[in-house]
């Protein structure tokens, strides 16, 4: 009873506190907005708009000469770190991205101080920043211009310039940075956000893209009017990004429908900041993930090899005449010959010594053929003939059923299970020189080509002269091409994996301003399932442009006559038997000549 009472009291207190805090939040939201009077009030309003858990204070070396009252800021019970120009600190190792930076520039523009701040926020340059300056500057326009240029060069998009009174630190005015379409300062308006998500509207800002034609990621074709159209899930994603955020897509190079940029190494272009977003994905193996967008797909890099083919007719005979069958014939012949000869010897018949190993009744009976039975009233001999009949019937029916099964539905060759078997097989692997890395096991028969168009054409046409490297999404396209074939031309096996798993994402510039909007769009695209729809649309576009064709076969293989080559094993067995018979014949003649005079 006491525990129940404690539980009821606890729930009551929780409900009361929850409702009180909720009411307090509502009251704060409905309170009429008032212009902040000092820097602390400005920071408090920013906190109410979006909370932060830590604060970075950037102070110049001559901060002691400024008569600003900053005690209220230091009274905040949140982690704070004070830095000076030229100092270094691994900020992301201690604080998360919910941090605000306050940069004090009471006199002139301090390029070193802002550079220190920018280096502290490497890969998170879009952090909220407040630059506090003295309102008694002789040339505020020049200061604003220098700060604007520096913010653009450092790719900072959330910056507020606050002018403070030199005699106490009251807030005189503040300006907000408008990064799109061009960097400029704007005066705030009532009930406006301090740090709005500017990336939701790029205001037709140019987004320089690079279309790498790696199908099915990007597929370029011309429409009926001769205009270049982008297909593929990567091309559609970038088009949606530019359209959704009101940007303007500008190709780095004039796109050509020739697949010449397949698997192009774009690392140098990104380092030189010549392109904003490449239409190609990369893994985070060699670079850190903060240089890339959110994950677009998880894939594997494998080797696609020709599927096993059915055994030919000459290859079926070793399965029929295997050691088990030959051994059973040999043992059965010896057993029946010995028992039959033993009965003859016991009952006083004339028996040759060779008859105990091979007589004229043992082998024919096992093969289901007729033989001349001895007329005898002996019941034991009749029972032996009956056993030999059933043994021959079983052997004949078993062999006939197995032969019919093998010839009508022949088995397949063994598939390539690992890299060792790949090296022993006649399959040669064709790979593009710009993408292939070292596999987990060396490949002996490997051809590297710099002709990327040739590689794509050979792989998409399912040319079985080579095996190819492929990703998981590319394999889905190739698998659809083979849907109409009863016997698939290419197969994929888990033991022929080159790299797995691989998280694929867009490679971006350092501190790219497009990372935040691109990540938000990628997550939304995955939520609604657009990637799978784009896969299907890409396949349809490639069919319309006759880039690929369905591989199908309606011909049912009919019966065909056996030729000389198909009966190769029969000729081999016949030749061996004749040779053995000839040797035995001459041996008997030699023995007859040797023992004849003495007989």
């Amino acid at each position: 009873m006491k525990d129940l009472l404690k539980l009821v009291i606890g729930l009551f207190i929780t409900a009361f506190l929850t409702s009180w805090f909720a009411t307090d939040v509502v009251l704060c939201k409905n309170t009429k907005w008032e212009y902040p009077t000092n820097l602390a009030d400005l920071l408090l309003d920013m906190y109410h708009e979006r909370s932060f858990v830590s604060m970075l204070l950037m102070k110049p070396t001559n901060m002691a000469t400024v008569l600003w009252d900053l005690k209220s800021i230091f009274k905040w019970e949140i982690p704070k770190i004070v830095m000076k120009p030229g100092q270094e600190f691994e900020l992301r190792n201690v604080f998360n991205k919910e941090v605000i930076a306050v940069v004090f520039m009471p006199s002139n523009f301090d390029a070193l101080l802002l550079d220190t701040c920018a280096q502290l926020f490497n890969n998170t340059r879009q952090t909220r920043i407040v630059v506090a300056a003295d309102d008694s500057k002789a040339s505020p326009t020049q200061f604003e211009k220098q700060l604007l240029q520096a913010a653009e060069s450092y790719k900072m998009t959330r910056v507020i310039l606050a002018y403070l009174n030199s005699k106490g630190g009251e807030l005189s005015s503040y300006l907000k940075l408008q990064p799109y379409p061009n960097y400029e300062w704007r005066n705030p308006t009532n009930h406006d956000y301090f740090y709005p998500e500017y990336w939701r509207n790029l205001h037709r800002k140019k987004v320089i893209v690079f279309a790498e034609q790696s199908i099915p990621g990007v597929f370029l074709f011309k429409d009926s009017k001769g205009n270049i159209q982008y297909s593929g899930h990567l091309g559609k994603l970038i088009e949606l990004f530019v359209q959704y955020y009101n940007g303007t897509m500008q190709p780095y190079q004039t796109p050509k429908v020739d697949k010449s940029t397949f698997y192009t190494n774009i690392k140098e272009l990104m380092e030189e900041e010549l392109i904003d977003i490449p239409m190609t994905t990369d893994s985070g193996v060699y670079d850190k993930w903060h240089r890339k967008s959110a994950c677009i797909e998880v894939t594997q890099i494998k080797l696609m090899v020709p599927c096993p083919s059915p055994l030919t007719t000459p290859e079926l005979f070793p399965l029929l005449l295997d050691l088990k069958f030959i051994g059973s014939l040999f043992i059965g012949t010896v057993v029946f010959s010995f028992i039959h000869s033993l009965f003859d010897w016991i009952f006083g018949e004339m028996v040759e010594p060779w008859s105990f190993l091979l007589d004229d009744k043992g082998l024919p009976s096992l093969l289901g053929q007729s033989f001349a039975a001895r007329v005898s009233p002996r019941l034991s001999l009749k029972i032996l003939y009956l056993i030999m009949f059933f043994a021959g019937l079983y052997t004949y029916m078993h062999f006939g059923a197995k032969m019919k099964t093998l010839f009508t539905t022949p088995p397949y060759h063994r598939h390539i299970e690992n890299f060792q078997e790949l090296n022993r097989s006649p399959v040669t692997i064709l790979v593009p020189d710009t993408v292939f890395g070292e596999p987990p096991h060396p490949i002996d028969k490997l051809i590297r080509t710099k002709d990327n168009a040739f590689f794509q054409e050979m792989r998409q046409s399912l040319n079985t002269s080579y095996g190819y490297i492929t990703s998981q999404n590319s394999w889905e396209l190739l698998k659809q091409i083979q849907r109409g074939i009863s016997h698939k031309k290419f197969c994929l096996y888990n033991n022929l994996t080159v790299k797995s798993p691989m998280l694929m994402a867009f490679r971006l510039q350092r501190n790219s301003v497009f990372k935040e909007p691109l990540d938000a769009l990628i997550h939304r695209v995955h939520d609604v399932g657009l990637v799978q729809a784009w896969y299907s649309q890409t396949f349809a576009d490639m069919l319309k442009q006759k880039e690929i064709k369905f591989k199908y076969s309606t011909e049912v293989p009919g019966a065909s006559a056996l030729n000389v080559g198909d009966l190769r094993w029969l000729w081999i067995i016949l030749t061996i038997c004749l040779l053995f018979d000839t040797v035995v014949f001459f041996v008997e003649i030699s023995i007859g000549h040797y023992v004849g005079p003495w007989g």
Side-chain angles (χ1 to χ4, degrees):
M1 188 67 181
K2 292 182 179 180
D3 294 336
L4 180 61
L5 182 61
K6 291 180 181 179
L7 178 61
V8 172
I9 295 174
L11 292 175
F12 175 77
I13 295 174
T14 304
F16 174 76
L17 293 176
T18 303
S19 62
W20 186 82
F21 281 118
T23 305
D24 182 65
V25 172
V26 173
L27 290 176
C28 290
K29 289 185 177 179
N30 294 334
T31 303
K32 184 178 180 180
W33 183 82
E34 296 180 358
Y35 199 90
T37 58
N38 52 42
L39 182 59
D41 291 341
L42 180 64
L43 294 176
L44 184 61
D45 290 341
M46 294 176 181
Y47 180 85
H48 289 160
E49 176 183 289
R50 179 184 170 189
S51 63
F52 46 85
V53 296
S54 54
M55 184 181 296
L56 173 66
L57 303 176
M58 303 294 301
K59 299 177 60 176
T61 53
N62 57 350
M63 187 65 185
T65 60
V66 180
L67 301 178
W68 289 346
D69 185 12
L70 304 177
K71 294 181 181 179
S72 56
I73 297 178
F74 284 95
K75 289 182 180 179
W76 281 24
E77 295 182 355
I78 61 174
K80 291 177 284 292
I81 180 171
V82 181
M83 302 289 291
K84 292 185 178 181
Q87 292 183 331
E88 297 180 359
F89 179 67
E90 294 292 337
L91 189 68
R92 293 196 65 180
N93 292 343
V94 182
F95 301 106
N96 63 13
K97 66 177 183 179
E98 297 301 333
V99 59
I100 192 169
V102 182
V103 183
F104 298 100
M105 292 187 184
S107 55
N108 297 325
F109 175 74
D110 194 338
L112 180 58
L113 183 64
L114 191 64
D115 180 75
T116 303
C117 179
Q119 300 308 321
L120 291 174
F121 287 116
N122 263 336
N123 306 304
T124 55
R125 293 282 174 84
Q126 288 72 48
T127 304
R128 291 170 288 179
I129 299 174
V130 178
V131 178
D134 196 341
D135 61 353
S136 62
K137 291 183 180 296
S139 56
T141 305
Q142 181 66 20
F143 180 87
E144 294 171 5
K145 182 179 179 181
Q146 292 176 331
L147 180 59
L148 191 69
Q149 292 175 349
E152 184 175 7
S153 63
Y154 290 125
K155 300 178 182 178
M156 298 175 177
T157 57
R158 293 185 172 97
V159 180
I160 285 183
L161 174 58
Y163 284 111
L164 305 181
N165 190 285
S166 60
K167 299 178 180 180
E170 291 80 8
L171 180 65
S172 300
S173 62
Y174 69 92
L175 301 175
K176 296 196 306 182
L177 176 64
Q178 173 70 32
Y180 304 123
N182 300 311
Y183 273 67
E184 60 181 359
W185 295 110
R186 288 195 176 182
N187 293 315
T189 58
N190 292 341
H191 303 288
D192 193 9
Y193 289 102
F194 292 101
Y195 296 102
E197 294 178 335
Y198 292 109
W199 49 266
R200 295 195 178 275
N201 188 354
L202 300 179
H203 293 278
R204 311 305 300 173
K205 177 181 174 62
K206 292 182 179 180
V207 182
I208 303 176
V209 300
F210 184 85
E212 181 186 81
Q213 301 182 56
S214 53
I215 297 173
V218 179
F219 170 58
L220 302 183
F221 64 93
K222 291 184 179 180
D223 58 11
S224 57
K225 298 181 180 179
N227 299 322
I228 296 292
Q229 299 295 326
Y230 291 83
S231 187
H233 64 284
L234 300 182
K236 290 295 183 182
L237 178 59
I238 299 302
E239 275 193 334
L240 178 63
F241 171 80
V242 175
Q243 181 182 3
Y244 186 74
Y245 293 117
N246 192 26
T248 302
M249 187 169 67
Q250 177 179 335
Y252 171 70
Q253 295 176 342
T254 303
K256 298 180 181 179
V257 188
D258 59 356
K259 310 178 188 66
S260 60
T261 59
F262 176 67
Y263 281 138
T264 303
N265 188 0
I266 48 94
K267 183 177 180 180
E268 292 77 10
L269 299 177
M270 301 301 298
E271 293 292 341
E272 297 175 7
E273 297 187 354
L274 297 177
I275 55 178
D276 295 319
I277 304 177
M279 290 186 184
T280 181
T281 54
D282 193 9
S283 63
V285 177
Y286 302 107
D287 293 304
K288 297 181 180 180
W289 270 101
H290 57 250
R291 293 280 304 277
K292 294 175 173 60
S293 68
C295 179
I296 299 175
E297 58 189 356
V298 181
T299 188
Q300 294 178 320
I301 305 299
K302 296 185 177 182
L303 297 179
M304 50 180 284
V305 294
C307 294
S309 58
L311 295 178
T312 60
T313 301
E315 292 173 331
L316 295 176
F317 284 100
L319 299 180
L320 287 172
L321 306 176
D322 55 358
L323 291 177
K324 181 179 179 181
F325 178 73
I326 299 298
S328 62
L329 285 182
F330 177 77
I331 295 175
T333 300
V334 172
V335 170
F336 285 143
S337 298
F338 179 81
I339 295 176
H340 190 272
S341 300
L342 180 63
F343 284 178
D344 288 344
W345 180 73
I346 292 175
F347 295 131
E349 300 290 341
M350 182 67 68
V351 179
E352 296 289 338
W354 288 102
S355 298
F356 285 93
L357 294 178
L358 180 64
D359 65 357
D360 57 347
K361 298 175 179 60
L363 183 60
S365 64
L366 280 178
L367 295 178
Q369 298 179 358
S370 61
F371 60 93
R374 186 182 302 279
V375 180
S376 173
R378 306 294 181 184
L379 180 61
S380 59
L381 196 60
K382 293 179 180 181
I383 295 175
L384 177 62
Y385 288 152
L386 184 62
I387 295 175
M388 295 170 67
F389 164 73
F390 281 113
L393 180 63
Y394 171 79
T395 305
Y396 174 79
M397 294 183 65
H398 179 75
F399 181 82
K402 185 177 181 181
M403 182 177 67
K404 183 177 180 181
T405 303
L406 291 177
F407 276 87
T408 53
T409 56
Y412 289 82
H413 289 93
R414 176 186 174 90
H415 66 267
I416 301 174
E417 292 188 347
N418 48 48
F419 285 92
Q420 288 78 13
E421 293 187 3
L422 176 64
N423 291 331
R424 291 194 296 266
S425 70
V427 177
T428 302
I429 303 299
L430 179 67
V431 298
D433 190 48
T434 55
V435 65
F436 188 73
E438 291 299 327
H441 299 280
I443 301 176
D444 296 339
K445 294 178 281 297
L446 181 68
I447 297 180
R448 298 175 181 264
T449 177
K450 296 182 178 179
D451 191 346
N452 299 316
F454 169 75
F455 173 80
Q456 286 207 79
E457 181 181 355
M458 294 289 287
R459 188 175 66 176
Q460 289 176 198
S461 61
L462 302 179
N463 192 309
T464 55
S465 301
Y466 304 97
Y468 307 93
I469 189 172
T470 182
S471 61
Q472 196 67 38
N473 54 8
S474 299
W475 172 247
E476 293 299 325
L477 175 67
L478 297 171
K479 193 164 63 173
Q480 289 192 35
I481 299 176
Q482 301 183 88
R483 271 192 313 191
I485 309 177
S486 58
H487 173 63
K488 308 303 180 185
K489 288 190 174 183
F490 281 91
C491 296
L492 214 63
Y493 302 107
N494 292 329
N495 290 336
L496 295 180
T497 301
V498 179
K499 292 181 181 179
S500 173
M502 296 183 66
L503 305 178
M504 308 303 292
F506 288 123
R507 184 196 292 265
L508 300 175
Q509 295 181 4
R510 293 180 181 271
N511 304 292
S512 174
V513 297
F514 299 115
K515 177 174 173 54
E516 189 173 1
L518 191 57
D519 289 351
L521 182 63
I522 290 174
H523 293 309
R524 184 59 179 162
V525 162
H526 282 301
D527 291 340
V528 299
L530 278 179
V531 176
Q532 298 301 324
W534 285 334
Y535 280 146
S536 301
Q537 184 178 352
T538 303
F539 186 74
D541 291 337
M542 295 180 70
L543 282 177
K544 292 178 182 178
Q545 300 299 320
K546 298 181 180 180
E547 184 70 21
I548 57 175
K549 295 180 180 179
F550 269 123
K551 300 294 181 180
Y552 61 91
S553 176
T554 58
E555 296 181 358
V556 179
S560 59
L562 296 175
N563 53 37
V564 177
D566 295 334
L567 303 177
R568 180 183 60 186
W569 279 102
L570 294 181
W571 306 127
I572 293 176
I573 294 174
L574 180 61
T575 303
I576 293 176
C577 292
L578 289 176
L579 290 176
F580 181 74
D581 189 31
T582 303
V583 172
V584 173
F585 173 73
F586 284 108
V587 169
E588 288 180 341
I589 292 177
S590 301
I591 294 176
H593 283 292
Y594 180 75
V595 301
W598 303 98

